[in-house]
Amino acid sequence: MHIAGAGMAGLCAAVRAKELGVKTVVYEKGSRPGGSMLLSSCVVWRYLDADAFKRECPRGDAELQRAVIERLDEGFEWLRALGAPVVWEETGNPRTVGLRFDPQGLTDALVRAAGDEIRFGEEPPEEVAPLLLATGGFQGDSELVAQHVAPAGELLLRANRWSRGDGLRRALSAGAGLTASMDEFYGRAMPAPPAAVPEERFVELAQLYGRHALVLDEDGKEFAPDPISWSETDLVQAIARRRGATAWYLVDEEALDVEVRGRSVREMVEAARRAGGEVLLPNELGIELPGSYRYAVHVVAGITTTLGGIRIDSRARVLDDSGEAIEGLLAAGADAGGIAGGGYASGLASALVFGRSAAETVTAR
Ligand SMILES: Cc1cc2nc3c(=O)[nH]c(=O)nc-3n(C[C@H](O)[C@H](O)[C@H](O)COP(=O)(O)OP(=O)(O)OC[C@H]3O[C@@H](n4cnc5c(N)ncnc54)[C@H](O)[C@@H]3O)c2cc1C
């Protein structure tokens, strides 16, 4: 089995294939394993049941969502058995269940168990089969992002720099179908330029308090979705579509003390300021404001993973437009789209589930 990508989906597939006695070669374009998983908060989670998943992500494929609900817990036990270190036994969100892993520890455990060769700096040759596309989505390719997501300004890439739609292009040339939600992405509001946002600070610099702020565009117009969803994915997508793909978050004294995922809004604002981001006094914006605000924080839409992509079935087989499986071609992780459409779901969870399924499909052949 040939696997493109040594991130979450590719490594899970490689380990499962090895357990099932299939020889694998993993090609990793980058210089290290782990992909975006290594940069992530590493909370792997699911909604409580398939109905809740569909309610939260109404444009997602119900069959793929059901597969995540049914197979994720087995995936958790499997990762624990591989020695992946769990740092939290819960997600801290009543809508979801899951585990938080240590990202370096999870990467190390998977690489150790995969054992077989990982060829760094390489992409799979043409015409190899069976081939699993696990290249991590197309957020790193500005042309594909312009074509499908169509932001109104430059998005900040909040992901590994190698995931540039190689899997998508390869699948399309083999006749693959595309999913719904090609214009959707999961991301976070980040401090806008001139802030310095290096990859090791992607988690720390996220500005997670849009729901507690007045959100204005560059023309001073309020525009946030009403209500803003718990994950704020809808707000980040809305920012991407305003001029410059930027916005101002205005926060008052009360909002500064609100805690979001273990951090106060004040700490997030301070982190933006320390990174060199624009944190102004509201009167410096030069517009009339309702109410009294302490700070205006300039944010840009950061793109973490695309949510649309290659069409697959629940066995990770790539499908054409008519729903027929394409012989010898599989996809998993962010390359495979159509799971979280209309909302947000754990990308690590679907990478785990469909990465493992891809290896099982190859063995069943
Ligand atoms: C800051 C941050 C926080 C996050 N937090 C969470 C979280 O808490 N929970 C969650 O569920 N998700 C989170 N995510 C998202 C999660 O990391 C991704 O959804 C997940 O890693 C997707 O898995 P993947 O295998 O598809 O891609 P990746 O893990 O990114 O792996 C893709 C790999 O493919 C390689 N590659 C690219 N092109 C090629 C090619 N042509 N040939 C060979 N190799 C190639 C890349 O170098 C990379 O190593 C976060 C991401 C980031 C960046």
Side-chain angles (χ1 to χ4, degrees):
M1 179 179 188
H2 300 264
I3 298 174
M8 183 67 170
L11 289 175
C12 289
V15 175
R16 187 73 185 121
K18 189 175 178 212
E19 287 173 354
L20 296 169
V22 178
K23 165 106 183 90
T24 61
V25 184
V26 182
Y27 306 88
E28 169 51 57
K29 187 174 164 185
S31 51
R32 57 150 180 87
S36 291
M37 177 250 282
L38 188 63
L39 309 174
S40 80
S41 314
C42 225
V43 185
V44 191
W45 57 270
R46 61 170 174 81
Y47 291 106
L48 302 186
D49 56 40
D51 290 342
F53 202 155
K54 191 68 189 164
R55 264 196 318 277
E56 292 276 354
C57 301
R59 286 196 284 280
D61 180 314
E63 184 192 330
L64 301 180
Q65 293 177 350
R66 219 171 12 254
V68 172
I69 297 286
E70 286 168 5
R71 299 183 205 153
L72 184 62
D73 296 2
E74 188 187 319
F76 285 149
E77 292 320 307
W78 182 78
L79 289 179
R80 281 186 200 270
L82 295 176
V86 173
V87 292
W88 293 350
E89 292 285 340
E90 42 139 345
T91 62
N93 178 348
R95 287 178 184 80
T96 66
V97 289
L99 301 174
R100 183 175 192 166
F101 291 89
D102 172 66
Q104 186 67 59
L106 175 56
T107 304
D108 292 346
L110 288 169
V111 168
R112 202 167 46 235
D116 285 344
E117 211 174 340
I118 301 179
R119 300 187 184 171
F120 291 101
E122 283 191 39
E123 299 180 33
E126 294 299 317
E127 310 295 333
V128 289
L131 171 65
L132 169 65
L133 301 170
T135 73
F138 63 86
Q139 61 280 348
D141 184 278
S142 48
E143 247 171 60
L144 285 172
V145 168
Q147 179 187 346
H148 294 290
V149 179
E154 198 178 334
L155 304 180
L156 181 141
L157 180 63
R158 185 179 178 266
N160 86 72
R161 59 191 177 280
W162 299 293
S163 293
R164 296 187 180 164
D166 296 341
L168 180 69
R169 286 200 189 82
R170 192 138 170 171
L172 284 174
S173 68
L178 294 180
T179 64
S181 304
M182 291 301 292
D183 57 341
E184 292 182 49
F185 67 92
Y186 153 59
R188 296 291 187 205
M190 303 298 288
V197 185
E199 65 177 23
E200 64 278 8
R201 300 186 67 197
F202 285 160
V203 172
E204 175 203 342
L205 289 176
Q207 304 291 299
L208 304 174
Y209 50 89
R211 270 166 307 156
H212 306 287
L214 174 70
V215 183
L216 302 180
D217 68 11
E218 296 298 337
D219 303 313
K221 188 163 177 286
E222 199 179 335
F223 70 92
D226 185 17
I228 297 170
S229 70
W230 66 268
S231 70
E232 302 198 357
T233 305
D234 51 352
L235 173 58
V236 180
Q237 292 181 16
I239 294 171
R241 297 194 164 85
R242 307 309 284 196
R243 183 162 63 84
T246 49
W248 292 91
Y249 280 4
L250 276 74
V251 282
D252 59 21
E253 196 61 47
E254 208 176 312
L256 286 170
D257 293 321
V258 171
E259 292 241 331
V260 183
R261 260 165 265 157
R263 280 188 308 155
S264 71
V265 171
R266 191 185 305 277
E267 286 170 303
M268 292 186 253
V269 172
E270 278 311 312
R273 190 204 303 275
R274 277 198 312 274
E278 287 177 281
V279 178
L280 304 183
L281 299 174
N283 62 15
E284 294 176 304
L285 285 179
I287 48 175
E288 284 285 313
L289 290 169
S292 60
Y293 294 92
R294 278 294 299 281
Y295 300 116
V297 184
H298 202 200
V299 296
V300 61
I303 184 167
T304 302
T305 59
T306 40
L307 295 183
I310 304 166
R311 191 171 165 199
I312 61 163
D313 67 8
S314 62
R315 299 174 57 202
R317 298 181 304 176
V318 172
L319 305 179
D320 67 16
D321 274 330
S322 64
E324 287 294 314
I326 296 173
E327 182 63 29
L329 195 60
L330 303 120
D335 278 356
I339 300 166
Y344 168 52
S346 168
L348 291 168
S350 51
L352 167 60
V353 165
F354 296 111
R356 275 167 46 90
S357 297
E360 288 161 8
T361 297
V362 167
T363 335
R365 269 154 44 99

